[in-house]
């Protein structure tokens, strides 16, 4: 333990010294690399996810260029398998999930009236582990190639590859093993980040809420973040164990999924989908929370059926564990299991339907403002409803058997995940962009972004229903002329270009909006607590922790009415202009630093970043058959990781003079 004595000449405490002096930068690249501030971490999650969105989008364009015409020759069969596998992995693990994490990181403490998450440095290490996991998976292109077994990577395909006849070549087996080890180890590392985040978010919700904020006064986004964290907490260990088994199966000839050694390939399917179906809700529920925040603000009404929406979200999280086998109706589980999981699949439509009707009830009779966030929110409700309806058809076993592994399934899950998640997440970006950066995005360009994305989305994925029903199988790298699929494949490819154009419009909007005037603390006339502080918020979020007395705390601080028939008017209380130092749209904080206000905030640290770097180094060791080289990588990665843990443990979360 380090003893810190007061400097008698200055009355201040001496700065702590060690192997890594405490970083002190508050601006510049170094401040971002060492930050533990949940807002900066949320922004970095968002930027990283959007970069991966560009990469995954380019992969999608390659897929559509290959399939735009029959007998396509843009990609070889081998490269096509790698590209569509990486597209799936990227969009799920490095785009949609982290975009949700970006919003949770940024908003959860603000919505709870807290200064930060419960464990700020664990929050930082989650970010960096996720970053190195993505870089690790993509580093596969510099070795034997990327994973090529699709995002599900069923056995025995994971062992023999998509072209078993090709294994006659001397090095084909080694190449296949290398590719799938990147899948196994890369997702394993990413899973560590998700688990750490889940523990952090659950603890934050249970322990960091402002005075008066009961669970049933939490904003719906915070509730959906809470449910999502529990889903992560229980789902990630399942796939984590399966991925370890995959690694031992591939690298060390383990028996788990190999029937010749007493294993069972269907065991992988069970474990994958026991994680995989809750994973769908892990991606969707944050977007549902975002929509539940946007719709009341732009309908100028309270959220219709707050309790019903909250409990529906909980029910979706619970029932999501009981439907995994509807992905396996063609695996031969038997009529009893098929029937049970078919019924469970029908049941999960009930809480989802409740949410949709409550969102419609929120808009019904409201004074709707069709802003860009509102358009994206309405887009989610309508597109997800289409995806949900096609999902219900999967509950019918004979129907599902016909659709299995066709483009009908591809259409369904894109309507659910793109329509149900990305529309909401983009709506959230437009909604909270002024809170994070202090400036509104351009509304005219934003609406152009929405309409081009909506048109491109439907051009791309609606025809896939027809292609699937006409028998076009998914994952085929080409198709023959004369199958009746030419026209709709051309339409799908054109639609994908429109989606790419819409994203370019979004990027232009961000660039153009840099010079917009300051937005103020509450530019949308919003309802929840995060709009009570300035835009962007100070490091400590609030000068004074707010005391909560209602679901729509900010709204009731601004408005009051003398009877049910009176129109609400601004009142001189709390968040109203009479009490705010900066006026109704000005800053609601003093502008003083946390130190000046006597608020104790955690200090930056190098250790989260250093700890994360050790994991991929150790993972690369698995690829070497030479025991000395393998051990060397394990040792270097282990020393870096556990050394960082030791330094982390010895370093105080904040210096004594802060």
């Amino acid at each position: 333990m380090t003893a810190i004595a007061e400097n008698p000449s200055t009355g201040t405490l001496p700065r702590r010294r060690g192997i890594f002096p405490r970083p002190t930068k508050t601006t510049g690249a170094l401040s971002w690399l060492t930050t533990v501030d949940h807002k900066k971490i949320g922004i970095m999650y968002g930027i990283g996810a959007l970069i991966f969105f560009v990469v995954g989008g380019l992969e999608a364009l390659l897929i559509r260029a290959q399939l735009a015409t029959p007998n396509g020759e843009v990609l070889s069969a081998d490269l096509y398998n790698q590209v569509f596998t990486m597209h799936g992995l990227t969009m799920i693990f490095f785009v949609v999930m982290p975009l949700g994490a970006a919003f949770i990181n940024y908003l959860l403490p603000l919505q709870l009236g807290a200064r930060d998450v419960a464990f700020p440095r664990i929050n930082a290490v989650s970010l960096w582990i996720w970053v190195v996991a993505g870089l690790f998976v993509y580093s596969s292109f510099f070795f034997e190639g990327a994973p090529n077994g699709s995002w599900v990577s069923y056995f025995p395909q994971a062992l023999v590859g998509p072209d078993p006849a090709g294994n006659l070549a001397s090095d084909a087996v080694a190449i296949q093993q290398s590719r799938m080890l990147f899948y196994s180890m890369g997702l394993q590392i990413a899973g560590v980040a998700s688990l750490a985040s889940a523990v952090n978010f659950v603890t934050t919700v249970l322990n960091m809420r402002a005075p008066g904020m009961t669970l049933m006064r939490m904003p719906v986004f915070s509730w959906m973040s809470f449910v999502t964290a529990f889903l992560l907490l229980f789902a990630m260990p399942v796939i984590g164990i399966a991925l370890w088994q995959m690694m031992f199966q591939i690298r060390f000839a383990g028996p788990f999924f190999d029937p010749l050694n007493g294993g069972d390939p269907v065991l992988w399917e069970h474990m994958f989908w026991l994680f995989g179906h809750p994973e769908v809700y892990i991606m969707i529920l944050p977007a549902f929370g975002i929509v539940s925040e946007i719709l009341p603000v732009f309908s100028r009404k309270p959220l219709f059926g707050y309790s019903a929406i909250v409990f529906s979200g909980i029910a979706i999280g619970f029932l999501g564990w009981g439907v995994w086998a509807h992905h396996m109706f063609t695996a031969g589980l038997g009529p009893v299991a098929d029937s049970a999981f078919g019924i469970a699949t029908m049941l999960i439509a009930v809480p989802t339907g409740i949410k949709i009707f409550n969102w419609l009830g929120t808009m019904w009779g409201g004074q709707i403002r069709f802003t860009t966030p509102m358009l994206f929110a309405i887009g989610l409700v309508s597109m997800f409803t289409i995806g949900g309806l096609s999902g219900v058809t999967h509950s019918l076993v004979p129907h599902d058997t016909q659709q299995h592994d066709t483009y009908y399934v591809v259409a369904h899950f894109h309507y659910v995940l793109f329509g149900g998640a990305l529309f909401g997440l983009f709506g959230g970006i437009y909604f909270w962009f002024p809170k994070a950066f202090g400036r509104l995005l351009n509304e005219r360009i934003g609406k152009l972004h929405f309409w081009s994305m909506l048109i491109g989305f439907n051009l791309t994925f609606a025809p896939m229903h027809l292609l699937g029903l006409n028998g076009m199988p998914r994952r085929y790298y080409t198709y023959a002329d004369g199958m009746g699929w030419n026209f709709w494949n051309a339409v799908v490819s054109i639609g994908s270009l429109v989606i790419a154009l819409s994203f370019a419009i979004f990027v232009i909007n961000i660039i153009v909006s840099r010079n917009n005037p300051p937005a103020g603390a509450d530019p949308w006339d919003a309802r929840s607590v995060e709009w009570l502080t300035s835009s962007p918020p100070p490091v400590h979020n609030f000068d004074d922790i707010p005391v909560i007395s209602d679901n729509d705390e900010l709204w009731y601080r601004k408005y009051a009415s003398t009877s049910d028939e009176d129109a609400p008017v601004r009142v001189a209380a709390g968040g109203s202009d009479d009490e705010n130092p900066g006026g109704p749209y000005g800053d609601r904080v003093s502008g003083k630093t946390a130190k000046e206000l006597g608020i104790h905030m955690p200090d930056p640290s190098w250790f989260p970043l250093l700890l994360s770097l050790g994991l991929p180094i150790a993972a690369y060791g698995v690829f070497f058959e030479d025991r000395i080289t393998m051990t060397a990588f394990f040792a270097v990665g282990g020393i870096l990781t556990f050394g960082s843990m030791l330094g982390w443990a010895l370093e105080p979360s904040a210096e004594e003079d802060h």
Side-chain angles (χ1 to χ4, degrees):
M1 178 178 292
T2 303
I4 301 176
E6 187 173 331
N7 186 333
S9 61
T10 62
T12 61
L13 295 168
R15 182 166 298 281
R16 175 182 171 275
R17 298 295 179 188
I19 298 174
F20 297 107
R22 175 78 78 175
T24 57
K25 297 285 186 183
T26 56
T27 58
L30 194 62
S31 72
W32 289 85
L33 292 173
T34 59
T35 187
V36 295
D37 183 347
H38 72 97
K39 297 179 290 298
K40 283 187 172 180
I41 290 170
I43 290 170
M44 285 192 282
Y45 260 116
I47 293 172
L50 289 175
I51 291 172
F52 277 116
F53 184 73
V54 172
V55 176
L58 291 173
E59 290 162 347
L61 290 177
L62 280 174
I63 294 170
R64 290 318 313 171
Q66 170 71 15
L67 298 176
T69 58
N71 302 310
E73 296 180 350
V74 176
L75 300 173
S76 65
D78 181 43
L79 190 54
Y80 180 85
N81 288 333
Q82 296 176 54
V83 169
F84 89 76
T85 299
M86 290 302 293
H87 169 71
L89 295 179
T90 302
M91 288 301 184
I92 290 169
F93 293 101
F94 301 109
V95 176
V96 181
M97 278 182 74
L99 268 180
F103 282 101
I104 298 173
N105 267 287
Y106 195 94
L107 292 173
L108 188 62
L110 286 169
Q111 287 200 329
L112 298 181
R115 301 209 186 280
D116 208 318
V117 293
F119 308 114
R121 285 195 286 186
I122 289 181
N123 206 25
V125 85
S126 299
L127 166 73
W128 294 118
I129 289 177
W130 167 73
V131 170
V132 300
L135 296 176
F136 176 84
V137 174
Y138 268 92
S139 71
S140 60
F141 280 109
F142 298 102
F143 295 95
E144 303 288 1
N148 58 353
S150 84
W151 89 289
V152 299
S153 287
Y154 286 156
F155 282 84
Q157 181 186 338
L159 285 175
V160 300
D163 181 19
N167 286 346
L168 295 176
S170 59
D171 57 349
V173 173
I175 292 173
Q176 179 62 24
Q177 288 184 351
S178 168
R179 292 175 177 181
M180 296 315 298
L181 283 176
F182 274 107
Y183 174 97
S184 168
M185 301 307 296
L187 298 191
Q188 189 75 276
I189 296 171
V192 173
S194 297
L195 263 182
S197 293
V199 172
N200 212 352
F201 296 149
V202 168
T203 311
T204 300
V205 170
L206 293 179
N207 293 283
M208 305 285 285
R209 283 172 285 128
M213 181 169 281
T214 62
L215 287 175
M216 293 310 289
R217 285 178 181 166
M218 283 203 306
V220 174
F221 176 77
S222 294
W223 253 113
M224 294 305 104
S225 302
F226 192 38
V227 176
T228 301
F230 270 108
L231 285 173
L232 282 168
L233 199 60
F234 293 112
M236 299 313 295
V238 179
I239 192 65
I241 292 169
L243 290 168
W244 276 118
Q245 291 176 328
M246 170 185 270
M247 186 270 287
F248 279 105
Q249 175 81 67
I250 293 173
R251 183 64 186 83
F252 302 105
F256 305 106
F257 311 118
D258 182 3
L260 297 178
N261 288 318
D264 184 356
V266 179
L267 174 63
W268 167 264
E269 291 191 43
H270 279 294
M271 297 183 75
F272 181 86
W273 286 116
L274 196 53
F275 148 80
H277 202 82
E279 168 74 0
V280 172
Y281 303 111
I282 288 169
M283 290 187 277
I284 289 177
L285 285 179
F288 283 4
I290 289 170
V291 168
S292 300
E293 301 293 327
I294 293 174
L295 291 177
V297 170
F298 297 109
S299 300
R300 292 184 67 80
K301 283 178 61 185
L303 183 66
F304 181 78
Y306 168 86
S307 299
I309 285 187
V310 168
F311 283 107
S312 296
I314 297 171
I316 288 172
F318 182 76
L319 292 172
W321 292 97
V323 297
W324 83 88
H326 75 209
H327 298 275
M328 301 166 58
F329 283 153
T330 58
L333 301 179
V336 174
D338 287 351
S339 301
F341 283 100
I343 293 169
T345 304
M346 294 177 192
L347 287 177
I348 204 167
V350 175
T352 309
I354 289 172
K355 278 184 177 291
I356 292 171
F357 281 111
N358 278 279
W359 289 331
L360 295 177
T362 302
M363 289 187 283
W364 184 265
Q367 300 173 29
I368 296 178
R369 290 180 287 163
F370 289 102
T371 60
T372 305
M374 186 65 167
L375 290 175
F376 274 103
I378 295 172
L380 180 146
V381 176
S382 53
M383 295 301 104
F384 178 79
T385 301
I386 296 172
L389 290 173
S390 65
V392 174
T393 64
H394 297 311
S395 63
L396 303 173
V397 179
H399 202 273
D400 182 272
T401 304
Q402 290 294 316
Q403 301 155 1
H404 195 81
D405 271 347
T406 71
Y407 264 83
Y408 186 91
V409 178
V410 181
H412 159 69
F413 70 68
H414 277 92
Y415 265 90
V416 170
L417 293 181
F418 197 134
L422 282 177
F423 270 85
L425 293 167
F426 273 110
I429 291 173
Y430 279 92
F431 187 55
W432 281 295
F433 192 91
K435 177 53 61 183
F437 300 102
R439 299 176 193 280
L440 286 160
L441 288 170
N442 185 286
E443 271 292 285
R444 184 173 297 179
I445 302 176
K447 289 175 181 176
L448 180 62
H449 171 207
F450 167 75
W451 286 112
S452 57
M453 186 164 138
L454 185 73
I455 292 169
F457 171 81
N458 283 289
L459 274 178
T460 303
F461 300 113
M464 289 185 182
H465 291 102
L466 301 175
L467 288 168
L469 292 175
N470 284 328
M472 182 171 176
R474 60 193 289 200
R475 304 189 180 115
Y476 278 30
Y477 89 105
T478 188
Y479 55 92
D481 196 7
M483 302 294 289
W485 303 332
N486 297 11
F487 174 74
W488 288 119
N489 268 299
V491 173
V492 169
S493 296
I494 293 170
S496 66
L497 290 173
V498 178
I499 293 177
L501 175 65
S502 75
F503 186 77
I505 295 170
F506 169 69
V507 174
I508 292 170
N509 198 354
I510 291 177
I511 297 171
V512 168
S513 300
R514 288 181 306 163
N515 298 321
N516 282 353
D522 182 20
W524 303 118
D525 196 13
R527 314 176 75 88
S528 47
V529 173
E530 72 271 21
W531 302 99
L532 195 57
T533 187
S534 62
S535 300
V539 173
H540 51 282
N541 288 351
F542 304 95
D543 281 359
D544 299 302
I545 296 297
V547 177
I548 309 301
S549 58
D550 203 281
N551 291 78
D552 294 326
E553 177 66 24
L554 178 57
W555 180 268
Y556 286 105
R557 290 190 184 203
K558 293 185 294 188
Y559 292 98
S561 60
T562 55
S563 71
D564 293 340
E565 296 180 357
D566 290 340
V569 295
R570 272 191 184 274
V571 295
S576 70
D577 48 348
D578 297 314
E579 294 294 326
N580 287 322
Y585 302 116
D587 290 343
R588 290 184 167 88
V589 293
S590 62
K592 295 180 180 178
T593 65
K595 185 178 180 182
E596 291 170 335
L597 293 167
I599 298 170
H600 204 62
M601 296 300 294
D603 280 317
S605 175
W606 283 105
F607 290 113
L609 175 60
L610 292 173
L611 189 156
S612 69
L613 296 177
L615 298 180
I617 294 174
Y620 281 122
V622 178
F623 291 79
F624 293 92
E625 293 187 1
D626 174 52
R627 291 182 182 276
I628 296 176
T629 308
M630 180 191 296
T631 305
F633 272 88
F634 288 166
V636 173
I639 290 171
L640 190 54
T641 299
F642 290 105
S644 299
M645 287 182 182
L646 181 62
W648 178 326
L650 295 176
E651 182 185 60
S653 63
E655 297 296 336
E656 294 292 333
D657 59 344
H658 282 198

